[in-house]
Amino acid sequence: MTQTLWLFGTRLTILADHTTTGGQYDLIEGYLPPRTQTPPHRHTRYSEQLYVLEGEMTVWAGDHKVVLNAGESFLIAPGIPHVVGAVGDQPARGLVVAAPSAFARLIAEVGTLNETEPTDMALFERVSAEIGDENLGAPGDLPMPSAMST
């Protein structure tokens, strides 16, 4: 069963989660409208593999900035501060594999039914902490290289 929700301006569709993968991974399709990006954050317990289906995604991961086009992918290892965005005038669509499963739980518990509904930040912070995610700033901020050292 798929579930589509919005989180920080990004439409996320859960295609597979712990219930269908035995906790091995989550498979999520993401749609980033033009000029949107995630807040800087890091996952301490799982990796995040991005694969671009359409458009262009920019990834800031630690000290690196990578621009990905359709057909390209990038692995973000646990512990690396990062931001993912569609910074240009075009939207981007891609797949995320988070392994082991955890990211889908955050989306399912915190995501909203429409893009204009505000995120419950207290709930977001609680669930993020429970799955081992650390939030390092607000949407629009970029990760600081010094954040990699903790």
Side-chain angles (χ1 to χ4, degrees):
M1 176 173 115
T2 62
Q3 182 179 19
T4 300
L5 297 163
W6 289 84
L7 188 62
F8 295 114
T10 301
R11 186 180 69 219
L12 301 164
T13 302
I14 301 169
L15 302 171
D17 65 8
H18 72 283
T19 64
T20 56
T21 69
Q24 299 282 324
Y25 66 92
D26 296 323
L27 177 60
I28 296 148
E29 180 180 341
Y31 170 81
L32 289 81
R35 295 172 295 287
T36 59
Q37 65 187 53
T38 66
H41 62 285
R42 81 171 121 218
H43 314 293
T44 64
R45 299 181 188 153
Y46 60 93
S47 64
E48 181 177 359
Q49 177 79 41
L50 302 170
Y51 178 81
V52 179
L53 297 169
E54 297 175 11
E56 179 181 282
M57 286 186 195
T58 302
V59 180
W60 293 266
D63 292 327
H64 304 284
K65 177 184 175 185
V66 180
V67 178
L68 303 172
N69 293 292
E72 297 179 322
S73 66
F74 187 80
L75 175 66
I76 303 166
I80 302 296
H82 62 281
V83 169
V84 178
V87 297
D89 293 334
Q90 300 298 314
R93 191 171 65 88
L95 295 174
V96 176
V97 176
S101 179
F103 185 39
R105 175 181 169 208
L106 180 69
I107 297 165
E109 292 189 27
V110 180
T112 61
L113 294 176
N114 63 64
E115 61 190 300
T116 60
E117 188 177 343
T119 299
D120 180 334
M121 290 307 293
L123 178 62
F124 176 76
E125 290 293 335
R126 181 181 61 77
V127 176
S128 291
E130 289 173 4
I131 66 170
D133 283 2
E134 297 175 347
N135 301 300
L136 305 172
D141 293 345
L142 295 178
M144 300 300 294
S146 62
M148 290 180 62
S149 61
T150 59

